[in-house]
Amino acid sequence: MANLLEVTDLQTYFSTKNGLVKAVDGVSFSVAPGQSVCLVGESGSGKSMSAWSIMGLVKPPGKVVGGQILFKGQNLLEFSPKQMQALRGSQIGMVFQEPMTSLNPSYTIGYQVAEVFKIHQPILSAAQVKEKSMQALGQVGLGADKFNAYPFNLSGGQRQRVVIAMAMACAPDLLIADEPTTALDVTIQAQILDLMQGLQQSKQMAMLFITHDLGVVAQLADVVVVLYKGEVVEKASAKDLFNDPRHPYTRALLEAIPKPGQRKVRLASVDENVNYLDFPKEIRC
Ligand SMILES: Nc1ncnc2c1ncn2[C@@H]1O[C@H](COP(=O)(O)OP(=O)(O)O)[C@@H](O)[C@H]1O
Ligand SMILES: [Mg+2]
C-alpha cells in the first residue's frame, strides 16, 4: 500500500540566543492509509514540532531547515501558506491538547461545527448543515442540547469532543492528534481514546497520534516511533516494540510504566546522565 504521509530526514531548528536548538533532527517515518502511528517520547523530545512541521505551523524562531514531507506524493514543504491552510481541516484534521485553542469562545458549539460543513460541503442547504452538525455531535456523544451551548458551558472533556467532531466533519484522510487527552482526567481520557479509535476504524482514517504515555500507545498504535532529543531511536510495530523493546531508551520508558497491582508508581527509569543517542538506532519497520 502506498504511503499517505512520508516524512524523510525532517529537520526543524530554532535559533535562540543560546544557540541553535535542534528540536527535530533527521526524523523519518511514514503513515499508510488507515494506519495508526504513535510518536512517543518524553517532554521536549520533538513530538509536537514534528507534527507542527507537517502541518506547516512552525513559527519563527523555528524553521523547517531540511528533509521532505510528502502527503499523497505532494511535497508539503513547497506548499504556500494558503495551500497549507486549505489542506488543514480538509484532508488533514487536527486535535490539540487544549481544546480552547481550536474553539472560538464567542460562538455556540452548533455554529462552529456547522461552519466546518459549510466550508467543506457548500452545496448543503441550511437544514442539511444543521442536521449534519447534530449528527456529528451525536457521534461524539454530545446531545442536541449542546447545539446552542457556548464553549464555556462545557467541561474540558466535552470541549475536546467538539473539537474531534469538527475534525471528523471534514472526513480527513489523516488525523493528527497532539496529546489530545493529556489535560483530561483518566476516565474521560479513556472515553475520548475509545471514541477516536472507533471513528478511525469506521472511517478508515489514518492517524498520527502523539503522546508521552506508553499505555495510550499500547491501546492505539500499529507502529510506534520513539523520539529522543529530536531523533528517532526506535521504530517498530507496536507488537514488536512491546514484546521485544531493543533500544535502551525504549526499555527505560517501558520500565517507567506502573504495572497493574503495583502500589507505588515507580519513578521514571530514564537516566538523565545517559546520552541515549550513543546507542545504535533500532529501526525495524
Ligand atoms: N519556541 C521555541 N523556542 C526555542 N526552542 C523551542 C521552541 N519550541 C520548542 N523548542 C525546542 O524544541 C524541543 C522540542 O519541543 P516539542 O516538539 O514541543 O517537544 P514535545 O512535544 O516532545 O514535548 C524542545 O525541547 C525545545 O528545546
Ligand atoms: Mg508537545
Side-chain angles (χ1 to χ4, degrees), residues 14 16 21 23 42-49 61:
F14 284 83
T16 72
V21 175
E42 292 170 294
S43 177
S45 56
K47 304 183 297 294
S48 291
M49 287 310 131

Side-chain angles (χ1 to χ4, degrees), residues 156-169:
Q158 289 171 329
R159 287 199 283 255
Q160 196 60 298
R161 284 168 189 267
V162 174
V163 174
I164 292 168
M166 286 166 65
M168 302 301 298

Side-chain angles (χ1 to χ4, degrees), residues 47-48 178-179 210:
K47 304 183 297 294
S48 291
D178 188 356
E179 312 234 19
I210 293 175

Side-chain angles (χ1 to χ4, degrees), residues 22 131 161 212 236 283:
K22 298 180 175 182
E131 194 190 324
R161 284 168 189 267
H212 63 272
I283 308 300

Side-chain angles (χ1 to χ4, degrees), residues 133-200:
S133 306
M134 292 278 199
Q135 273 173 5
L137 289 173
Q139 266 192 338
V140 297
L142 294 175
D145 59 312
K146 296 294 185 290
F147 196 83
N148 292 316
Y150 287 86
F152 65 82
N153 298 131
L154 305 184
S155 68
Q158 289 171 329
R159 287 199 283 255
Q160 196 60 298
R161 284 168 189 267
V162 174
V163 174
I164 292 168
M166 286 166 65
M168 302 301 298
C170 313
D173 301 303
L174 174 68
L175 183 71
I176 299 181
D178 188 356
E179 312 234 19
T181 60
T182 304
L184 305 174
D185 75 49
V186 186
T187 318
I188 309 293
Q189 173 172 345
Q191 288 171 7
I192 297 272
L193 288 179
D194 281 345
L195 171 72
M196 292 185 75
Q197 198 169 21
L199 290 171
Q200 188 215 352

